[in-house]
Amino acid sequence: MVDRTVYPAGCDAPTSAVRQIFASCKVPPEVCVRIAQTGPSSVEMIAVMGENHAAVRQSFTNLCGGPDQVHADQAPRERIYLWLLAVWSACVKLHEQQAIRRAKMEEDPHIIPSLPSDDVSDFRARFVLAHPDMLLIPSKEPHKKFIERIHRDFTLHQHVQDYEVGEMRRRSENIAQKTGMAQTADQLIKLVRTDDEKVSVAGEEEVMDRLSSFFVALEYLNICSFSEADGPLKYLKMLSEHRREAPGLQSLLTADRLVRKEVFRLNTDDRPNYPTFSGALLRVLNHCHWIWDKARAEYESSLHKPGPVREPSTPTKKRSAET
């Protein structure tokens, strides 16, 4: 989840990682804007504002132009400092963790760091608390290995990857693993790698369940809320409507592929305008109606597509037995 603050014109909106920290620290919108207006808008910039609380307070005060520019009254000013220090502490920890993780993952891109089981349990507990009307069953809940994979990819690339539906593994599945040795002699360490990262999809309901587990995982990791306002619920509803108009597994997979491919393109190629997964998804759902038309056209064309024509086989004459 990211903060829903509307930043004024001329103010650089913070990066998605900083906005996630704003949301987790429950920073008020006016304080989010105040911090962004001072200049630091990334995890790296906020992390180097100072070595301790006193240095960070002084740096922020200098950027604002003096204590009175932070706030005219003492009590509100101190609350702003407290929120700032909470954000700074989270940015410092995140910056250190990202540096360590990147170093390990660059050594071997196949390594997927394991998340503590307690953290995954906390993710689930927060989700259930935030969605009391939703029954989180294993067939619609992401597998721990898939959560770890999204987390690894997002840490490296800072955007959601374009996963295939078959790669969206669920908690109800058993994922086989194999253990091997590192290929280089100077890195004799054990590696645990997923043996079957992708599976075949059998039916339409399975597609919807896997997509649900994907969006649940995004909320687990504070990337995108599983809500209509942020896009996932709206997308699943629109996909269900397309499913009724153009039934069939291939039609459903085609529509999903076209939508999420465009979301990925906006989130990577046009990142200044669509820095978050939610922003790119909402843009596609609200304005890219041609995608659904293209999916329906492909479906209708598949209905009228003639099957392969086979040449009639000429039966071979049996040779008469020699007498």
Side-chain angles (χ1 to χ4, degrees):
M1 293 177 288
V2 297
D3 73 296
R4 300 183 181 278
T5 302
V6 178
Y7 293 89
C11 174
D12 292 335
T15 62
S16 58
V18 173
R19 299 185 71 179
Q20 289 172 20
I21 292 174
F22 283 167
S24 62
C25 294
K26 302 186 184 303
V27 181
E30 61 273 14
V31 179
C32 296
V33 173
R34 197 73 188 91
I35 294 175
Q37 286 176 333
T38 61
S41 59
S42 65
V43 170
E44 293 77 10
M45 290 293 292
I46 295 176
V48 298
M49 286 183 68
E51 296 182 354
N52 51 49
H53 289 182
V56 173
R57 285 170 61 107
Q58 186 59 49
S59 177
F60 183 72
T61 303
N62 294 339
L63 289 171
C64 289
D68 291 339
Q69 298 300 319
V70 177
H71 202 284
D73 299 329
Q74 180 68 23
R77 186 189 308 154
E78 287 301 319
R79 284 195 291 270
I80 292 175
Y81 283 137
L82 289 176
W83 277 309
L84 170 68
L85 293 175
V87 171
W88 172 79
S89 298
C91 287
V92 169
K93 292 178 182 178
L94 180 59
H95 185 55
E96 293 174 351
Q97 291 172 358
Q98 287 178 343
I100 295 172
R101 286 169 183 163
R102 283 197 185 99
K104 290 181 178 179
M105 288 183 285
E106 286 174 359
E107 290 178 1
D108 191 333
H110 296 288
I111 292 180
I112 299 180
S114 178
L115 291 173
S117 298
D118 290 344
D119 288 355
V120 179
S121 299
D122 290 342
F123 295 160
R124 190 179 194 281
R126 287 203 306 266
F127 185 92
V128 172
L129 188 63
H131 303 274
D133 56 337
M134 180 179 174
L135 182 62
L136 194 58
I137 57 178
S139 62
K140 294 185 178 182
E141 185 178 352
H143 197 284
K144 183 175 180 287
K145 292 297 179 184
F146 184 49
I147 299 171
E148 291 168 348
R149 184 181 176 190
I150 296 177
H151 183 258
R152 186 275 309 268
D153 294 341
F154 193 81
T155 300
L156 280 176
H157 307 290
Q158 293 300 301
H159 59 256
V160 178
Q161 297 297 293
D162 185 17
Y163 302 104
E164 295 185 27
V165 174
E167 296 176 289
M168 300 173 183
R169 308 306 299 273
R170 299 170 293 172
R171 188 181 180 186
S172 58
E173 298 176 277
N174 291 323
I175 299 181
Q177 295 178 344
K178 61 182 179 181
T179 302
M181 301 299 292
Q183 296 179 356
T184 56
D186 58 338
Q187 294 178 342
L188 295 179
I189 57 174
K190 281 192 173 183
L191 304 178
V192 178
R193 298 181 180 176
T194 302
D195 193 22
D196 53 349
E197 290 185 349
K198 180 181 174 183
V199 294
S200 58
V201 181
E204 297 175 46
E205 283 297 335
E206 184 180 338
V207 173
M208 301 301 293
D209 288 348
R210 289 187 185 277
L211 286 172
S212 294
S213 69
F214 167 63
F215 289 124
V216 170
L218 294 186
E219 176 158 333
Y220 276 12
L221 297 171
N222 281 330
I223 296 173
C224 179
S225 175
F226 190 83
S227 64
E228 189 156 356
D230 279 11
L233 276 181
K234 182 175 183 178
Y235 173 54
L236 292 176
K237 289 179 181 178
M238 295 177 71
L239 200 59
S240 296
E241 292 176 5
H242 172 81
R243 180 183 170 191
R244 287 192 294 269
E245 295 175 2
L249 177 60
Q250 194 56 44
S251 171
L252 187 63
L253 289 173
T254 299
D256 173 66
R257 174 177 55 81
L258 291 173
V259 170
R260 289 193 297 108
K261 185 177 181 180
E262 182 66 13
V263 172
F264 178 76
R265 188 191 70 79
L266 289 177
N267 198 200
T268 53
D269 296 348
D270 198 6
R271 194 164 181 80
N273 292 322
Y274 306 100
T276 65
F277 177 86
S278 173
L281 177 60
L282 289 172
R283 169 67 185 182
V284 172
L285 297 181
N286 293 331
H287 299 281
C288 299
H289 303 293
W290 60 267
I291 289 180
W292 303 102
D293 296 335
K294 183 176 180 180
R296 292 188 192 96
E298 289 189 13
Y299 167 72
E300 291 173 358
S301 124
S302 66
L303 292 179
H304 300 90
K305 188 176 180 180
V309 179
R310 294 184 179 180
E311 294 276 343
S313 58
T314 304
T316 57
K317 294 182 180 180
K318 294 183 178 180
R319 297 177 62 183
S320 58
E322 296 182 359
T323 57

